[in-house]
PDB file of all heavy atoms in Angstrom:
ATOM      1  N   LEU A 186      -1.707  29.757  11.811  1.00  0.00           N
ATOM      2  CA  LEU A 186      -0.559  30.068  10.973  1.00  0.00           C
ATOM      3  C   LEU A 186      -0.929  30.066   9.499  1.00  0.00           C
ATOM      4  O   LEU A 186      -0.436  30.888   8.732  1.00  0.00           O
ATOM      5  CB  LEU A 186       0.528  29.011  11.224  1.00  0.00           C
ATOM      6  CG  LEU A 186       1.277  29.064  12.562  1.00  0.00           C
ATOM      7  CD1 LEU A 186       2.128  27.857  12.752  1.00  0.00           C
ATOM      8  CD2 LEU A 186       2.099  30.327  12.711  1.00  0.00           C
ATOM      9  N   CYS A 187      -1.815  29.151   9.120  1.00  0.00           N
ATOM     10  CA  CYS A 187      -2.229  29.032   7.696  1.00  0.00           C
ATOM     11  C   CYS A 187      -3.457  29.868   7.379  1.00  0.00           C
ATOM     12  O   CYS A 187      -3.882  29.868   6.187  1.00  0.00           O
ATOM     13  CB  CYS A 187      -2.478  27.579   7.363  1.00  0.00           C
ATOM     14  SG  CYS A 187      -1.029  26.486   7.605  1.00  0.00           S
ATOM     15  N   ASP A 188      -4.005  30.519   8.373  1.00  0.00           N
ATOM     16  CA  ASP A 188      -5.214  31.338   8.197  1.00  0.00           C
ATOM     17  C   ASP A 188      -6.345  30.510   7.561  1.00  0.00           C
ATOM     18  O   ASP A 188      -7.043  30.959   6.680  1.00  0.00           O
ATOM     19  CB  ASP A 188      -4.920  32.561   7.329  1.00  0.00           C
ATOM     20  CG  ASP A 188      -5.997  33.622   7.378  1.00  0.00           C
ATOM     21  OD1 ASP A 188      -6.723  33.648   8.440  1.00  0.00           O
ATOM     22  OD2 ASP A 188      -6.155  34.405   6.454  1.00  0.00           O
ATOM     23  N   TYR A 189      -6.507  29.242   8.070  1.00  0.00           N
ATOM     24  CA  TYR A 189      -7.545  28.365   7.591  1.00  0.00           C
ATOM     25  C   TYR A 189      -8.910  28.758   8.225  1.00  0.00           C
ATOM     26  O   TYR A 189      -8.950  29.226   9.356  1.00  0.00           O
ATOM     27  CB  TYR A 189      -7.283  26.905   7.909  1.00  0.00           C
ATOM     28  CG  TYR A 189      -6.155  26.270   7.096  1.00  0.00           C
ATOM     29  CD1 TYR A 189      -5.579  25.135   7.540  1.00  0.00           C
ATOM     30  CD2 TYR A 189      -5.745  26.852   5.882  1.00  0.00           C
ATOM     31  CE1 TYR A 189      -4.544  24.534   6.806  1.00  0.00           C
ATOM     32  CE2 TYR A 189      -4.767  26.264   5.160  1.00  0.00           C
ATOM     33  CZ  TYR A 189      -4.140  25.109   5.609  1.00  0.00           C
ATOM     34  OH  TYR A 189      -3.132  24.514   4.855  1.00  0.00           O
ATOM     35  N   ASP A 190      -9.962  28.494   7.472  1.00  0.00           N
ATOM     36  CA  ASP A 190     -11.291  28.629   8.063  1.00  0.00           C
ATOM     37  C   ASP A 190     -11.558  27.488   9.058  1.00  0.00           C
ATOM     38  O   ASP A 190     -11.021  26.418   8.934  1.00  0.00           O
ATOM     39  CB  ASP A 190     -12.388  28.574   6.947  1.00  0.00           C
ATOM     40  CG  ASP A 190     -12.310  29.781   6.039  1.00  0.00           C
ATOM     41  OD1 ASP A 190     -11.914  30.859   6.516  1.00  0.00           O
ATOM     42  OD2 ASP A 190     -12.683  29.644   4.842  1.00  0.00           O
ATOM     43  N   ASP A 191     -12.412  27.730  10.069  1.00  0.00           N
ATOM     44  CA  ASP A 191     -12.674  26.728  11.111  1.00  0.00           C
ATOM     45  C   ASP A 191     -13.264  25.436  10.546  1.00  0.00           C
ATOM     46  O   ASP A 191     -13.076  24.375  11.168  1.00  0.00           O
ATOM     47  CB  ASP A 191     -13.568  27.310  12.216  1.00  0.00           C
ATOM     48  CG  ASP A 191     -12.861  28.379  13.042  1.00  0.00           C
ATOM     49  OD1 ASP A 191     -11.616  28.364  13.029  1.00  0.00           O
ATOM     50  OD2 ASP A 191     -13.556  29.198  13.661  1.00  0.00           O
ATOM     51  N   ASP A 192     -14.005  25.552   9.461  1.00  0.00           N
ATOM     52  CA  ASP A 192     -14.680  24.355   8.951  1.00  0.00           C
ATOM     53  C   ASP A 192     -13.780  23.555   7.995  1.00  0.00           C
ATOM     54  O   ASP A 192     -14.207  22.540   7.433  1.00  0.00           O
ATOM     55  CB  ASP A 192     -15.966  24.752   8.252  1.00  0.00           C
ATOM     56  CG  ASP A 192     -15.749  25.746   7.105  1.00  0.00           C
ATOM     57  OD1 ASP A 192     -14.608  26.215   6.940  1.00  0.00           O
ATOM     58  OD2 ASP A 192     -16.730  26.075   6.425  1.00  0.00           O
ATOM     59  N   ARG A 193     -12.527  23.973   7.806  1.00  0.00           N
ATOM     60  CA  ARG A 193     -11.632  23.233   6.930  1.00  0.00           C
ATOM     61  C   ARG A 193     -11.043  22.071   7.699  1.00  0.00           C
ATOM     62  O   ARG A 193     -10.632  22.174   8.859  1.00  0.00           O
ATOM     63  CB  ARG A 193     -10.504  24.176   6.454  1.00  0.00           C
ATOM     64  CG  ARG A 193      -9.448  23.368   5.716  1.00  0.00           C
ATOM     65  CD  ARG A 193      -8.482  24.287   4.970  1.00  0.00           C
ATOM     66  NE  ARG A 193      -7.424  23.508   4.304  1.00  0.00           N
ATOM     67  CZ  ARG A 193      -6.685  23.986   3.312  1.00  0.00           C
ATOM     68  NH1 ARG A 193      -6.862  25.211   2.885  1.00  0.00           N
ATOM     69  NH2 ARG A 193      -5.762  23.214   2.736  1.00  0.00           N
ATOM     70  N   THR A 194     -10.974  20.925   7.046  1.00  0.00           N
ATOM     71  CA  THR A 194     -10.375  19.731   7.668  1.00  0.00           C
ATOM     72  C   THR A 194      -8.850  19.738   7.414  1.00  0.00           C
ATOM     73  O   THR A 194      -8.375  20.303   6.444  1.00  0.00           O
ATOM     74  CB  THR A 194     -10.982  18.446   7.123  1.00  0.00           C
ATOM     75  OG1 THR A 194     -10.342  17.321   7.684  1.00  0.00           O
ATOM     76  CG2 THR A 194     -10.818  18.394   5.601  1.00  0.00           C
ATOM     77  N   LEU A 195      -8.121  19.086   8.355  1.00  0.00           N
ATOM     78  CA  LEU A 195      -6.673  18.972   8.197  1.00  0.00           C
ATOM     79  C   LEU A 195      -6.301  17.605   7.603  1.00  0.00           C
ATOM     80  O   LEU A 195      -5.122  17.214   7.631  1.00  0.00           O
ATOM     81  CB  LEU A 195      -5.951  19.162   9.551  1.00  0.00           C
ATOM     82  CG  LEU A 195      -6.080  20.547  10.193  1.00  0.00           C
ATOM     83  CD1 LEU A 195      -5.311  20.624  11.485  1.00  0.00           C
ATOM     84  CD2 LEU A 195      -5.540  21.622   9.210  1.00  0.00           C
ATOM     85  N   ARG A 196      -7.267  16.919   7.125  1.00  0.00           N
ATOM     86  CA  ARG A 196      -6.986  15.648   6.460  1.00  0.00           C
ATOM     87  C   ARG A 196      -6.046  15.827   5.274  1.00  0.00           C
ATOM     88  O   ARG A 196      -6.237  16.712   4.438  1.00  0.00           O
ATOM     89  CB  ARG A 196      -8.276  14.992   5.983  1.00  0.00           C
ATOM     90  CG  ARG A 196      -8.057  13.660   5.251  1.00  0.00           C
ATOM     91  CD  ARG A 196      -9.339  13.174   4.622  1.00  0.00           C
ATOM     92  NE  ARG A 196     -10.362  12.857   5.585  1.00  0.00           N
ATOM     93  CZ  ARG A 196     -11.608  12.476   5.290  1.00  0.00           C
ATOM     94  NH1 ARG A 196     -11.919  12.360   4.009  1.00  0.00           N
ATOM     95  NH2 ARG A 196     -12.451  12.241   6.238  1.00  0.00           N
ATOM     96  N   GLY A 197      -5.014  15.039   5.252  1.00  0.00           N
ATOM     97  CA  GLY A 197      -4.036  15.115   4.147  1.00  0.00           C
ATOM     98  C   GLY A 197      -3.088  16.299   4.270  1.00  0.00           C
ATOM     99  O   GLY A 197      -2.370  16.583   3.318  1.00  0.00           O
ATOM    100  N   PHE A 198      -2.959  16.907   5.483  1.00  0.00           N
ATOM    101  CA  PHE A 198      -2.126  18.086   5.634  1.00  0.00           C
ATOM    102  C   PHE A 198      -0.638  17.726   5.336  1.00  0.00           C
ATOM    103  O   PHE A 198       0.133  18.557   4.882  1.00  0.00           O
ATOM    104  CB  PHE A 198      -2.251  18.619   7.058  1.00  0.00           C
ATOM    105  CG  PHE A 198      -1.444  19.830   7.347  1.00  0.00           C
ATOM    106  CD1 PHE A 198      -1.790  21.084   6.825  1.00  0.00           C
ATOM    107  CD2 PHE A 198      -0.330  19.747   8.152  1.00  0.00           C
ATOM    108  CE1 PHE A 198      -1.040  22.200   7.077  1.00  0.00           C
ATOM    109  CE2 PHE A 198       0.449  20.862   8.432  1.00  0.00           C
ATOM    110  CZ  PHE A 198       0.093  22.089   7.886  1.00  0.00           C
ATOM    111  N   THR A 199      -0.234  16.490   5.679  1.00  0.00           N
ATOM    112  CA  THR A 199       1.138  16.103   5.470  1.00  0.00           C
ATOM    113  C   THR A 199       1.471  15.586   4.077  1.00  0.00           C
ATOM    114  O   THR A 199       2.621  15.277   3.779  1.00  0.00           O
ATOM    115  CB  THR A 199       1.548  15.031   6.502  1.00  0.00           C
ATOM    116  OG1 THR A 199       0.749  13.866   6.301  1.00  0.00           O
ATOM    117  CG2 THR A 199       1.361  15.522   7.940  1.00  0.00           C
TER     118      THR A 199
END
Side-chain angles (χ1 to χ4, degrees):
L186 290 171
C187 300
D188 197 24
Y189 286 162
D190 293 331
D191 290 338
D192 57 355
R193 172 169 178 160
T194 178
L195 295 181
R196 177 188 297 176
F198 181 74
T199 62

